[in-house]
Amino acid sequence: MSGANFILLINLSVAGLLAACFMAVSFHDAGRAPARWLASGYLLGMAYFAIEFSIPAFSDARLAVVAAFAVFLGATIAFNGGLAQKYGVAPPWTPMLFFLATATITVYFVQDLPRQSLARMMAYQLPYAAMQFVGLGIVWSSRQSRGRLDLILMAVLAASGLQFASKPFIAHALGGWGANPQAYLQSSYALVSQSLGTVFGLALALLILAILVRDVLAEVISKSEVDTLSGLLNRGGFTRHAELAVQDATRLGVPVAMVIADLDHFKTVNDSFGHASGDRVIEAFAGLLREAAEGDHMVGRIGGEEFAIILTGANLAAARLFAEGTRHAFGALPINGLPADSRCTSSFGIAELHMGEGFPDLMRRADEALYLAKNAGRDCVRVSTGPADGLALVKIDQPRISGRG
């Protein structure tokens, strides 16, 4: 068995393994559509390698050669379809399929040219290069944020396109690609070409597989950090993101404030109107917080009826306005499932990050401010002015007694 035959068998096996890997990823929601197209591309790759391996058995290999070309070009198109699905770009199916048909017809007719002619070799390789650059364009045009893996993928796509474009010259330098299709696998060029195909095909597959797995893991982490009832971050998710926000604010020298809110007499709501009504109260309050928070602000449900908000770029005065606005809006909001004249209220504690403090200090002072707001009769806002000399608090509004007491 020649070296090219051996590499061809390796390519066939690797394509099958990669197709299986992408199919496994496709079972998860985050990778479903892209992974299925990518798996289809590598299944077509298996078909291509099988046809290439069988070419020596044909006395007239014209149709087999054209079929191998069309199948491999189809594999690159399926790969681009997967890239488009992954990066949120409309797949250019019509131009790609038109290009497939045109290139296949061209390859059929250029076989009448001398086998070693540059035009004939370029007719085989340039369509592959074009599809790699289409893939590069898909990733480049995506509006999704691109991380390091995405940038490496773009670089490998560009390099792969260049290696396809250079293959006619490599073939010429190595003495051609065999006197006929049957002799191709015995040529030095076949060994180099199949080896390059292995390197770039495997690199692209592993990169996009890593990117899909990264996205799947990100979705899993995101779901694990979200409270299902309110749609806000849960305590663990809020703590993780808030700690990062405080660190970034400290590094950049921008103010950051924290607001902790508690629904007043929430147990009474559950006891009087049922847990379903209590859930609607939580959903309504979470909706208000979500609408009020903007930009880099983060909102979480950190307890049964307790919520926390990190206001990046906001000082104590801005946080006070946020809390008062939310308190008044919620106090006037009718809740579906409660009596028409019934209103719910909320209490707030506020703290701004001071020099030398970390997230735990900020959260502790906001929580202490909330504690005093509840002791002051609820339905009010209390502010921690700073950590010096213990907890200093300023009352900024008289408590308003809820209609339910």
Side-chain angles (χ1 to χ4, degrees):
M1 179 183 293
S2 69
N5 274 304
F6 182 69
I7 297 295
L8 199 60
L9 285 176
I10 292 176
N11 286 342
L12 182 65
S13 302
V14 169
L17 289 173
L18 292 172
C21 289
F22 283 117
M23 284 304 297
V25 174
S26 74
F27 294 135
H28 196 282
D29 287 344
R32 182 164 294 172
R36 285 181 177 174
W37 279 109
L38 293 163
S40 299
Y42 281 93
L43 286 173
L44 287 172
M46 289 182 67
Y48 162 75
F49 293 126
I51 296 172
E52 282 275 297
F53 197 77
S54 68
I55 283 177
F58 292 91
S59 56
D60 181 2
R62 184 183 187 111
L63 290 179
V65 168
V66 174
F69 169 85
V71 168
F72 191 73
L73 190 60
T76 65
I77 290 172
F79 185 87
N80 286 345
L83 285 180
Q85 294 283 347
K86 159 64 191 76
Y87 286 98
V89 177
W93 292 122
T94 300
M96 287 196 299
L97 293 175
F98 178 79
F99 184 76
L100 171 63
T102 303
T104 302
I105 293 170
T106 301
V107 164
Y108 179 85
F109 285 108
V110 298
Q111 291 188 81
D112 295 327
L113 296 175
R115 181 164 174 80
Q116 305 304 332
S117 74
L118 186 62
R120 178 170 175 167
M121 287 188 279
M122 293 187 101
Y124 275 89
Q125 300 299 335
L126 290 185
Y128 301 145
M131 285 300 101
Q132 297 292 271
F133 287 117
V134 168
L136 173 62
I138 286 171
V139 182
W140 178 270
S141 63
S142 172
R143 294 187 177 182
Q144 297 177 8
S145 60
R146 290 189 289 268
R148 184 176 302 175
L149 284 176
D150 306 289
L151 296 176
I152 295 173
L153 175 64
M154 292 170 65
V156 174
L157 282 167
S160 180
L162 291 174
Q163 66 94 17
F164 277 121
S166 68
K167 278 187 176 183
F169 305 101
I170 294 174
H172 180 74
L174 295 177
W177 53 346
N180 52 53
Q182 292 81 355
Y184 163 72
L185 291 177
Q186 307 304 317
S187 67
S188 298
Y189 167 73
L191 179 60
V192 173
S193 179
Q194 293 298 328
S195 299
L196 285 173
T198 301
V199 171
F200 282 99
L202 191 57
L204 287 171
L206 292 178
L207 277 169
I208 192 64
L209 189 60
I211 289 168
L212 289 176
V213 171
R214 177 198 67 186
D215 292 349
V216 167
L217 290 176
E219 185 190 37
V220 170
I221 292 172
S222 176
K223 286 182 176 179
S224 71
E225 293 182 339
V226 174
D227 172 61
T228 55
L229 176 59
S230 66
L232 305 176
L233 292 170
N234 58 28
R235 188 180 186 91
F238 176 80
T239 300
R240 188 175 78 85
H241 288 282
E243 286 177 341
L244 293 174
V246 169
Q247 290 173 11
D248 289 343
T250 301
R251 177 174 54 84
L252 297 173
V254 299
V256 59
M258 184 171 187
V259 177
I260 298 183
D262 186 86
L263 300 180
D264 299 332
H265 307 294
F266 184 71
K267 185 178 183 301
T268 302
V269 175
N270 282 332
D271 292 344
S272 301
F273 305 108
H275 287 279
S277 295
D279 288 348
R280 284 192 282 272
V281 172
I282 288 174
E283 290 171 343
F285 190 70
L288 280 178
L289 292 178
R290 191 182 298 107
E291 290 176 6
E294 55 186 28
D296 295 328
H297 302 340
M298 282 175 298
V299 188
R301 182 188 177 200
I302 60 174
E305 63 269 20
E306 196 169 33
F307 300 79
I309 307 97
I310 284 286
L311 302 171
T312 303
N315 58 19
L316 202 60
R320 181 183 300 175
L321 289 173
F322 176 93
E324 282 294 350
T326 305
R327 184 180 73 85
H328 284 289
F330 185 63
L333 183 69
I335 307 294
N336 186 29
L338 299 185
D341 61 345
S342 181
R343 295 292 184 269
C344 296
T345 62
S346 51
S347 303
F348 294 80
I350 305 170
E352 181 182 357
L353 186 71
H354 284 251
M355 185 176 297
E357 286 189 314
F359 171 73
D361 305 305
L362 182 65
M363 187 168 190
R364 173 184 55 78
R365 290 198 294 112
D367 194 54
E368 289 173 347
L370 173 65
Y371 179 78
L372 291 187
K374 292 164 72 173
N375 280 349
R378 295 182 171 86
D379 191 21
C380 62
V381 177
R382 292 294 181 268
V383 177
S384 171
T385 58
D389 301 323
L391 180 64
L393 293 152
V394 179
K395 184 172 71 172
I396 66 171
D397 192 21
Q398 291 295 330
R400 172 168 58 83
I401 304 301
S402 168
R404 285 200 307 265

